[in-house]
């Protein structure tokens, strides 16, 4: 029978609806998704409906590349980087995916043809707050660079139902609100109900005979299922799309029918609720024993799922596990996933019946460990009773790893019992603890810090014994950030000016920014540079008006400090300087100073009282300064609430001055310092973390340095630091501290800031008073420099021109060449 032609308008959807990149094709696909996926028509579609329709349209265009990438990696049996991180602070995906796919202009035109604004949809997207700050954002930058460099990779983490809290400021105090980032759906993830792994907790172990070999069986008292959710991670101007696989906890049995039939409705679903709690919220408060248990469960849960998943993938192509470490190289992002060392041993020895020695060889060759802290208290450790109750088999394995390792230490350093005690995986001093950093060091073939100074201090301090024992393991991999998100996406005006001047190649090869140096003496270029900065400042000023409720002068010096609130980061040193400036103006109202707008942003851990008190102090200072007619428009202070990736994209481009003022020797690296400098801000900072390398790269004359060095900090403490003497001997400092102490900024409760004042006068752990005079003098130099507009512009251009080293692409190339030994794999279209 002859088939009749399909009437016009009823043709089945063509592949271009899924993959076409022309504006008309994108508009058709948008209408299609709005209709068939969301069940909406334009007249009733909400802003979120429009965002979802566009997100699915963009995701369609990612999926073809994603499938091509997966097929290519499988066919070539490519060596794969697996990045294990408890945090992935990915930021909003729509804008970043448009940039990396190279279709931002086409999508903007398509939306315009439909009477819609792309910027409205970008603003609508919820941020997945799957991290606390720098650690999680670094992981996200590294995934971007791995894909851009065409390196096969999988990021493994946790699909927290509630991310880092939403911060609101009420009466100057931080208030934590639930971050319901999933409440309106997440169009970028693909649930994988067929990819599920069982994770055990608690119970006991028992030995048994396995054909003459002694084996151990773990009999848990709790089973949890981990289900995979996949997110595509596209590279920039390449066809590689890598994978971020996040795990959600589910009950092994969701419903207890017997309990239901007995009328016990709570017990019927109790196990489901308890199991799902594991991935309910990012980093529970671990001050309580219950909080510590949940955090340990979280870490083991995602690590076990990830390793089981790697083994599943490997065994699809091979029956023997001997080459596992040749297929997968696994990076531990700090100590959170360090339990992976014991878990891989358990899987190999207990589940796959491998003997100890080859299993340990595979394990050690599989893992690399990145350390992110110089603070001993930040090196995770778990009380032995808690650890045993949650992971009894792993404690046995750690004891055995420790026994064998310490025998090697004793052979190398005979009679050095103190060294043996320090290097033990178990802290035996008083209450016994499992030391996770020690486990990571012993079970990895490579150990790296994240800035040159940090890596040196690790070798000299926190990990000195391990460096003495295995110096060949230690490397430095200075952090980097992706220029795609933090320049091209967040600062389109500057990106366009740079591309017009030196071409677009810098986006994938940041070293090309050095060609900007030839424009430093071009007066027209400097005018255009300033115009871009001014427009960015106006944008931030509008946001401050919306969210903080007052106006600021975009022509003033924007002095910005945004990062997690912590005493070692010294936001309160900045606050002391603001009060100093304020006092100078009060004493002499006719004094001419460089007008400044101070902007703070950052979240304090909910249980960190002193950090929350510092937020209150900053807001109390703002209330006084901003309402004092004496200072007029010369000083403004703003606390930008809910600092996150989305908000950061407006803040970094607007900064004139970047505050990187942590106590020397405390910040591992920092990445905000890089983002600010890439966007043309000059840095005031100490010789701490990556500041050291930034200063070397941009030139000492283009960096405002103050404060004690790390060696001087240690020397000052060793000689008996007496902060009250510094305070008594500096008239301006003494006045500031007395004002805070006497309630000048808290008239409703004069003793409100006494805990902070007492801490500074009695201990001053982070040497604010020792660095105060140097900081104030340096800020005076900043003010003088800003008055010379042309010279400041030259310095700003040079900062950007010399930031090529701090691309995450450079960092990842070093990891690939020197730790992972992995090569790019080009995806053909």
């Amino acid at each position: 029978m002859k088939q009749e032609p399909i009437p016009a308008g009823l043709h089945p959807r063509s592949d271009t609806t899924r993959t076409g990149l022309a504006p008309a094709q994108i508009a058709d696909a948008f209408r299609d998704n709005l209709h068939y996926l969301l069940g909406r028509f334009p007249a009733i579609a909400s802003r979120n409906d429009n965002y979802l329709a566009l997100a699915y349209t963009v995701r369609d265009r990612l999926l073809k590349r994603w499938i091509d990438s997966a097929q290519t990696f499988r066919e070539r049996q490519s060596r794969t980087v697996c990045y294990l991180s408890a945090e992935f602070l990915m930021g909003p995906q729509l804008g970043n995916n448009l940039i990396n796919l190279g279709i931002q202009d086409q999508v903007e035109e398509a939306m315009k043809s439909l009477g819609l604004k792309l910027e409205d949809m970008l603003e609508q997207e919820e941020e997945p707050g799957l991290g606390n700050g720098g650690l999680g954002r670094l992981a996200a930058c590294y995934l971007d660079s791995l894909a851009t460099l065409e390196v096969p990779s999988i990021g493994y983490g946790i699909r927290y139902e509630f991310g880092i809290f939403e911060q609101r400021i009420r009466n100057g105090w931080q208030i934590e609100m639930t971050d319901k980032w999933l409440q309106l759906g997440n169009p970028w993830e693909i649930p994988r109900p067929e990819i599920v792994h069982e994770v055990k907790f608690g119970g006991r172990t028992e030995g048994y005979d396995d054909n003459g070999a002694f084996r151990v069986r773990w009999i848990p008292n709790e089973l949890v299922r981990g289900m995979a959710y996949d997110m595509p991670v596209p590279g920039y101007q390449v066809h590689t799309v890598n994978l971020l696989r996040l795990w959600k906890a589910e009950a092994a049995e969701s419903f207890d029918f017997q309990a239901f039939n007995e009328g016990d409705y709570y017990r019927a679903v109790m196990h489901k609720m308890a199991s799902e709690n594991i991935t309910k919220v990012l980093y529970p408060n671990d001050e309580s024993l219950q909080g510590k248990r949940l955090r340990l469960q979280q870490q083991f849960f995602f690590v076990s799922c990830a390793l089981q998943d790697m083994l599943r993938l490997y065994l699809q192509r091979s029956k023997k596990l001997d080459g596992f470490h040749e297929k997968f190289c696994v990076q531990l992002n700090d100590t959170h996933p360090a339990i992976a060392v014991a878990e891989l041993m358990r899987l190999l020895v207990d589940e796959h019946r491998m003997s100890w020695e080859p299993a340990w060889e595979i394990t050690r060759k599989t893992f690399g460990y990145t350390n992110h802290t110089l603070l001993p208290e930040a090196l995770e450790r778990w009380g032995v009773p808690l650890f045993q109750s949650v992971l009894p088999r792993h404690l046995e394995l750690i004891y055995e790893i420790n026994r064998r390792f310490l025998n090697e230490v004793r052979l190398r350093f005979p009679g050095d019992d103190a060294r043996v005690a320090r290097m033990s995986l178990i802290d035996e001093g008083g209450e016994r603890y499992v030391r996770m950093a020690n486990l990571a060091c012993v079970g990895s073939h490579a150990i790296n810090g994240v800035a040159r100074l940090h890596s040196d201090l690790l070798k000299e301090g926190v990990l000195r014994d391990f460096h003495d024992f295995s110096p060949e393991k230690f490397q430095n991999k200075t952090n980097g950030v992706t220029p795609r998100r933090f320049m091209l996406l967040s600062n389109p005006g500057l990106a366009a000016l740079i591309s017009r001047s030196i071409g677009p190649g810098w986006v994938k090869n940041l070293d090309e920014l050095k060609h900007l140096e030839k424009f430093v003496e071009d007066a027209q270029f400097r005018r255009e540079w300033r115009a871009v900065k001014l427009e960015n400042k106006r944008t931030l000023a509008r946001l401050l008006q919306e969210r903080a409720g007052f106006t600021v002068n975009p022509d003033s010096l924007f002095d910005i400090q945004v990062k997690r609130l912590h005493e070692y980061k010294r936001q309160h040193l900045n606050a002391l300087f603001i009060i100093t400036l304020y006092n100078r103006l009060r004493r002499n109202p006719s004094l001419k100073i460089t007008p400044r707008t101070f902007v703070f942003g950052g979240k304090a851990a909910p249980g960190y009282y002193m950090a929350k008190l510092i937020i209150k102090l900053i807001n109390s200072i703002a209330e006084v300064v901003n309402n004092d007619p004496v200072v007029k428009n010369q000083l403004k202070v703003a606390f930008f609430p809910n600092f996150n990736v989305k908000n950061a994209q407006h803040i970094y481009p607007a900064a004139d001055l970047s505050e990187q003022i942590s106590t020397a020797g405390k910040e591992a690296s920092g990445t905000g310092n890089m983002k600010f400098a890439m966007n043309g801000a000059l840095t005031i900072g100490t010789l701490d973390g990556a500041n050291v390398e930034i200063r070397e790269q941009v030139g000492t004359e283009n960096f405002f340095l103050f404060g004690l060095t790390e060696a001087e900090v240690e020397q000052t403490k060793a000689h008996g630091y007496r902060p009250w003497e510094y305070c008594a001997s500096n008239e301006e400092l003494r006045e500031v501290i007395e004002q805070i102490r006497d309630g000048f900024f808290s008239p409703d409760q004069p003793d409100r800031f006494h805990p902070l004042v007492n801490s500074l006068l009695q201990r001053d752990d982070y040497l604010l008073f020792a660095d105060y005079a140097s900081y104030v003098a340096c800020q005076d130099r900043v003010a003088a420099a800003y008055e010379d507009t042309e010279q400041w512009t030259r310095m700003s251009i040079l900062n950007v021109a010399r930031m090529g080293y701090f691309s995450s692409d450079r960092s990842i190339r070093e990891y690939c060449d020197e730790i992972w030994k992995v090569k790019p794999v080009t995806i053909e279209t």
Side-chain angles (χ1 to χ4, degrees):
M1 181 177 176
K2 184 179 178 182
Q3 186 173 345
E4 294 295 324
I6 299 173
L10 296 181
H11 286 283
R13 60 192 292 152
S14 70
D15 190 51
T16 58
T17 309
R18 296 290 193 186
T19 61
L21 300 180
Q25 294 169 324
I26 291 169
D28 285 344
F30 174 89
R31 283 189 290 257
D32 208 35
N33 284 327
L34 187 66
H35 187 123
Y36 291 106
L37 278 180
L38 300 173
R40 291 284 189 268
F41 56 92
I44 66 164
S46 68
R47 187 160 157 170
N48 195 64
D49 292 329
N50 288 329
Y51 157 69
L52 288 173
L54 180 57
Y56 285 120
T57 300
V58 175
R59 194 184 81 171
D60 285 345
R61 281 138 187 82
L62 285 173
L63 290 183
K64 174 65 166 66
R65 301 184 185 199
W66 193 7
I67 291 167
D68 288 346
S69 299
Q71 286 180 327
T72 301
F73 298 155
R74 179 181 171 85
E75 289 166 4
R76 300 189 188 178
Q77 301 184 45
S78 306
R79 183 162 166 80
T80 302
V81 175
C82 295
Y83 203 82
L84 266 59
S85 180
E87 303 182 30
F88 284 98
L89 202 58
M90 299 299 291
Q93 292 296 289
L94 176 57
N96 196 71
N97 288 338
L98 293 177
I99 289 286
N100 282 4
L101 285 172
I103 59 172
Q104 189 173 25
D105 291 342
Q106 296 95 308
V107 168
E108 193 161 13
E109 184 179 337
M111 294 304 98
K112 189 175 180 181
S113 73
L114 299 172
L116 299 169
K117 292 182 179 179
L118 175 59
E119 63 188 75
D120 289 342
M121 300 179 201
L122 292 171
E123 189 58 35
Q124 175 64 28
E125 183 172 3
E126 291 283 347
E127 172 157 340
L130 306 180
N132 284 294
L135 180 89
R137 186 52 235 173
L138 180 77
C141 284
Y142 281 0
L143 293 188
D144 177 89
S145 286
L146 281 161
T148 297
L149 295 174
E150 302 178 289
V151 176
S153 70
I154 305 173
Y156 280 113
I158 300 176
R159 183 183 179 268
Y160 302 103
E161 183 178 342
F162 301 109
I164 187 170
F165 61 87
E166 179 185 340
Q167 181 196 55
R168 296 185 187 173
I169 303 298
R170 190 175 299 159
N171 297 323
W173 292 98
Q174 169 180 292
I175 303 296
E176 299 96 23
M177 308 295 291
T178 304
D179 172 36
K180 301 176 182 177
W181 73 282
L182 287 169
Q183 64 181 340
L184 296 176
N186 177 15
W188 305 106
E189 68 181 11
I190 298 178
R192 302 292 192 191
E194 76 283 5
I195 302 178
V196 174
H197 299 292
E198 283 194 344
V199 180
K200 304 173 184 179
F201 292 105
R204 59 186 175 85
T205 64
E206 66 177 21
Y208 69 98
D209 179 78
D210 179 29
N211 295 321
F214 177 77
R215 299 282 180 191
V216 175
R217 182 183 293 116
W218 180 10
I219 304 170
N221 60 15
E222 182 181 0
L223 278 179
V224 175
R225 289 159 40 98
M227 176 179 156
Y229 283 75
D230 290 352
M231 288 178 63
V233 181
Y236 176 75
Q237 290 188 343
V238 294
H239 288 275
T240 300
V241 176
N242 282 332
L243 169 64
L244 171 60
R245 178 161 285 171
L246 303 176
W247 300 99
K248 178 186 176 184
E250 299 178 336
E253 192 65 51
S254 296
F255 195 79
D256 187 336
F257 275 102
Q258 183 176 346
F260 180 79
N261 291 333
E262 293 171 357
D264 190 344
Y265 306 124
Y266 176 74
R267 185 161 63 89
V269 295
M270 184 172 61
H271 184 58
K272 173 180 171 62
M273 291 189 294
S275 298
E276 292 180 355
N277 273 343
I278 291 175
T279 55
K280 186 67 70 175
V281 65
L282 171 74
Y283 278 39
N285 186 334
D286 63 358
E287 292 178 351
S288 67
L289 181 62
Q290 188 177 8
K292 287 182 169 66
R293 176 181 295 272
L294 181 53
R295 185 162 174 171
L296 178 57
Q297 286 178 319
Q298 282 187 337
Q299 293 179 5
F300 177 67
F301 166 77
F302 96 85
V303 161
S304 181
C305 288
L307 290 172
Q308 290 184 67
D309 201 50
M310 290 177 228
L311 289 168
R312 176 186 66 85
L313 292 170
Y314 184 82
L315 291 171
Q316 289 175 354
R317 304 300 299 267
S318 175
K319 292 183 178 180
K320 287 190 173 183
L321 288 169
D322 301 16
F324 179 80
H325 59 283
E326 296 168 356
K327 166 61 180 171
F328 292 110
C329 42
V330 181
Q331 195 67 23
L332 307 175
N333 193 28
D334 215 14
T335 53
H336 310 127
I339 190 61
V341 173
E343 173 64 354
L344 183 54
M345 284 298 291
R346 184 191 72 82
L347 291 167
L348 294 177
V349 172
D350 293 357
E351 303 293 334
H352 293 277
R353 292 174 168 74
M354 191 177 285
S355 59
W356 184 277
E357 287 76 11
W360 181 245
E361 186 72 4
I362 290 170
T363 296
R364 192 182 57 80
K365 289 181 177 179
T366 295
F367 293 112
Y369 164 48
T370 299
N371 175 284
H372 282 276
T373 185
L374 289 163
L375 304 176
E377 65 270 22
L379 295 175
E380 283 191 315
R381 57 182 198 156
W382 302 104
V384 167
L386 168 65
F387 196 94
Q388 185 168 32
S389 69
V390 177
L391 302 172
R393 177 55 179 150
H394 296 77
L395 186 62
E396 293 176 351
L397 291 164
I398 287 170
Y399 283 154
E400 181 60 16
I401 293 169
N402 198 39
R403 183 186 69 80
R404 293 170 181 248
F405 173 64
L406 293 184
N407 283 341
E408 294 179 41
V409 175
R410 291 186 184 100
L411 284 173
R412 186 83 63 84
F413 302 98
D416 195 342
D417 293 338
R419 183 186 297 268
V420 170
R422 292 193 303 269
M423 297 184 74
S424 173
L425 306 190
I426 308 296
D427 183 347
E428 306 279 3
E431 185 180 349
R432 301 170 73 231
Y433 290 92
V434 180
R435 295 163 162 164
M436 302 310 287
N438 291 26
L439 176 63
C441 288
V442 172
S444 299
H445 67 89
I447 302 164
N448 71 278
V450 290
R452 192 177 68 225
L453 175 64
H454 171 234
S455 296
D456 290 343
L457 293 176
L458 282 180
K459 291 185 283 189
E460 296 166 8
V462 176
L463 299 180
R464 179 176 179 174
D465 293 316
F466 289 94
H467 179 256
D468 290 347
F469 186 80
S470 303
E472 73 285 352
K473 284 188 178 184
F474 282 75
Q475 299 187 24
N476 173 59
K477 296 289 171 279
T478 298
N479 285 344
V481 300
T482 169
R484 270 74 64 182
R485 181 178 289 275
F486 291 108
M487 293 183 73
L488 198 59
L489 178 61
S490 354
N491 200 344
L494 184 65
L497 175 59
I498 293 172
S499 294
R500 287 198 306 272
S501 304
I502 65 171
W506 62 272
V507 183
K508 286 187 73 173
N509 179 9
L510 207 62
D511 287 334
E512 290 192 14
L513 288 177
K514 65 179 180 290
H515 297 304
L516 289 173
E517 292 201 32
K518 63 188 176 188
F519 295 95
V520 168
E521 297 305 328
D522 183 329
Q524 175 60 27
F525 184 82
R526 292 199 303 272
R527 279 193 292 273
E528 293 181 55
W529 190 272
R530 287 194 295 275
V532 168
K533 177 65 73 174
L534 181 59
E535 186 54 39
N536 291 335
K537 292 167 74 173
R538 286 172 176 159
T539 299
L540 181 57
R542 286 193 294 270
L543 285 173
L544 287 170
Q545 174 67 48
E546 291 173 15
R547 301 182 193 186
F550 62 88
T551 59
V552 299
N553 177 12
D555 291 317
S556 64
L557 191 164
F558 274 29
D559 184 331
I560 301 183
Q561 186 174 16
V562 288
K563 54 183 69 212
R564 286 283 288 191
L565 259 291
H566 198 293
E567 289 168 276
Y568 87 78
K569 295 178 186 288
R570 302 202 295 190
Q571 285 91 347
H572 44 337
L573 176 58
N574 192 346
L576 299 184
F577 171 64
I578 296 172
I579 300 172
T580 302
L581 271 186
Y582 175 63
N583 288 339
R584 290 176 181 177
L585 284 168
R586 287 174 66 235
R587 279 193 299 271
N588 181 5
S590 62
L591 179 68
K592 295 296 182 185
I593 69 166
T594 301
R596 289 207 199 208
T597 297
F598 291 90
V599 180
F600 293 85
K603 298 176 181 178
Y608 192 170
Y609 170 74
M610 198 65 78
K612 296 174 88 165
L613 191 62
I614 292 170
I615 291 177
K616 174 60 176 174
L617 175 63
I618 291 166
N619 283 296
S620 296
I621 295 168
E623 188 173 357
V624 171
V625 170
N626 296 341
N627 293 298
D628 190 334
V630 171
V631 304
K632 297 176 183 174
N633 288 320
Q634 296 190 81
L635 279 186
K636 291 286 187 180
V637 183
F639 192 96
F640 196 109
N642 203 41
F643 180 66
N644 56 19
V645 177
K646 193 173 183 178
N647 291 327
Q649 290 173 196
H650 297 299
I651 294 173
Y652 292 128
D656 292 306
L657 187 68
S658 162
E659 297 269 355
Q660 307 299 329
I661 60 177
S662 53
T663 313
K666 297 300 180 185
E667 186 75 85
S669 167
T671 50
N673 47 6
M674 303 169 190
K675 296 163 195 169
F676 276 117
M678 280 182 185
N679 282 280
L682 306 188
T683 304
I684 181 170
T686 53
L687 286 178
D688 195 30
N691 286 358
V692 176
E693 290 156 274
I694 290 175
R695 182 169 175 263
E696 289 175 0
Q697 294 288 328
V698 304
T700 58
E701 69 281 5
N702 299 312
F703 186 105
F704 296 102
L705 177 67
F706 78 95
L708 301 174
T709 66
E710 186 275 334
E712 290 167 342
V713 166
E714 292 305 312
Q715 188 178 42
T716 299
K717 290 183 175 181
H719 289 166
Y721 176 51
R722 291 179 287 276
W724 59 91
E725 292 183 357
Y726 283 85
C727 185
S729 63
N730 187 304
E731 187 176 337
E732 285 193 314
L733 176 58
R734 185 174 68 252
E735 180 184 17
V736 168
I737 294 301
E738 287 174 352
Q739 284 173 293
I740 298 172
R741 182 198 63 196
D742 295 341
F744 184 88
F745 299 100
S746 53
D748 60 320
Q749 186 181 332
D751 62 350
R752 173 174 291 137
F753 299 116
H754 281 189
L756 181 58
V757 171
N758 292 338
S759 172
L760 290 173
L761 286 171
Q762 294 168 16
R763 298 189 311 278
D764 190 15
D765 294 326
Y766 300 106
L767 281 73
L768 275 74
F769 288 1
D771 276 350
Y772 170 83
S774 175
Y775 180 56
V776 171
C778 190
Q779 285 283 23
D780 290 341
R781 295 199 302 275
V782 168
Y786 192 72
E787 292 300 316
D788 186 343
T789 302
E790 295 295 344
Q791 183 57 23
W792 184 277
T793 308
R794 291 185 183 94
M795 295 165 72
S796 174
I797 295 168
L798 288 173
N799 263 260
V800 176
R802 296 170 180 177
M803 286 301 290
Y805 179 77
F806 299 100
S807 169
S808 51
D809 297 347
R810 186 270 315 155
S811 302
I812 288 299
R813 284 193 192 95
E814 291 182 3
Y815 276 101
C816 288
D817 294 344
E818 298 165 21
I819 293 181
W820 300 331
K821 312 298 183 186
V822 63
K823 300 293 183 185
V825 176
T826 300
I827 307 301
E828 304 294 342
T829 58

